[in-house]
Amino acid sequence: MSVTTKSVYLDTSALVRMVECDVKSPSARNRHAGGPVSQLCEGHAPLVGLSSLTIVEFHNTLATNWRTSNPEYAEYDQAWVERSQVKIMKLLARQRLILRSIPPRANEHAITLITMATRDHGNGLRVWDAIHLITAAAWAHELQASVELWTTDEDFRRFVDLFPEFKQFVQIHNLDD
């Protein structure tokens, strides 16, 4: 993986792919997408941010994986959930992951963006993803530099292509590519 010089904002899917690699038999997708996130988090640069929404969605996804009765999810048990939670909390404690505040009125802005994207373009960006995008853009504004948003959700790129005003703040890096 080439090291990025830009600050990186992790959405939930990126963080989940990383811990989904921490099993005996990770899927090819999780190795491909999660490996770079793990390398990024274990490095010393660049800045890596996420939001409280990322943490909440992360814990929800862990619990969903744990509850799933699909045999492919058998390794996502209580021990895996607890290891994954501790891993992220240690990264936060070491300040390798920087907790970014969700901007004021982000909920209202997200609803507006989703309405426009759906009404005018049939775009599938979800409201939580819009909040991630808004948070990453606000961080970029603070830094006065663009931020890479790491994800495995294709709808981010489609949305930013439809609304290129975001490109001056956020570049989408899809880990599935």
Side-chain angles (χ1 to χ4, degrees):
M1 175 189 93
S2 63
V3 176
T4 181
T5 57
K6 294 179 182 176
S7 298
V8 174
Y9 178 93
L10 299 176
D11 89 327
T12 306
S13 68
L15 206 58
V16 169
R17 294 299 92 73
M18 178 179 73
V19 298
E20 285 178 339
C21 286
D22 293 339
V23 294
K24 289 180 185 173
S25 303
S27 71
R29 178 193 188 203
N30 290 341
R31 282 192 311 272
H32 177 78
V37 179
S38 185
Q39 289 176 337
L40 179 74
C41 289
E42 294 305 322
H44 299 291
L47 294 175
V48 182
L50 47 74
S51 70
S52 58
L53 175 59
T54 311
I55 299 296
V56 169
E57 282 187 304
F58 174 77
H59 288 285
N60 183 63
T61 303
L62 296 183
T64 299
N65 286 359
W66 180 13
R67 286 190 303 264
T68 299
S69 59
N70 183 332
E72 293 176 20
Y73 284 71
E75 291 187 85
Y76 303 133
D77 57 9
Q78 180 178 351
W80 170 78
V81 169
E82 291 170 356
R83 278 193 321 272
S84 300
Q85 291 170 334
V86 167
K87 182 175 190 168
I88 300 311
M89 291 304 122
K90 284 182 176 180
L91 288 167
L92 284 164
R94 285 186 15 227
Q95 296 184 344
R96 186 60 197 118
L97 294 177
I98 301 165
L99 193 59
R100 303 297 311 152
S101 297
I102 295 171
R105 303 193 59 146
N107 294 341
E108 292 91 341
H109 294 154
I111 290 168
T112 300
L113 292 175
I114 297 305
T115 300
M116 289 172 24
T118 301
R119 180 192 61 220
D120 300 342
H121 304 283
N123 181 262
L125 190 73
R126 295 178 304 266
V127 72
W128 300 130
D129 294 334
I131 292 173
H132 286 301
L133 184 61
I134 290 164
T135 304
W139 188 30
H141 188 265
E142 280 178 39
L143 295 170
Q144 297 183 356
S146 64
V147 168
E148 284 187 0
L149 190 155
W150 285 23
T151 185
T152 59
D153 186 340
E154 189 60 38
D155 287 323
F156 278 107
R157 184 176 291 140
R158 290 184 195 122
F159 179 87
V160 170
D161 286 345
L162 291 169
F163 297 92
E165 299 82 4
F166 280 96
K167 289 182 181 182
Q168 67 180 316
F169 300 105
V170 179
Q171 280 71 56
I172 305 303
H173 178 73
N174 191 310
L175 295 160
D176 284 335
D177 291 346

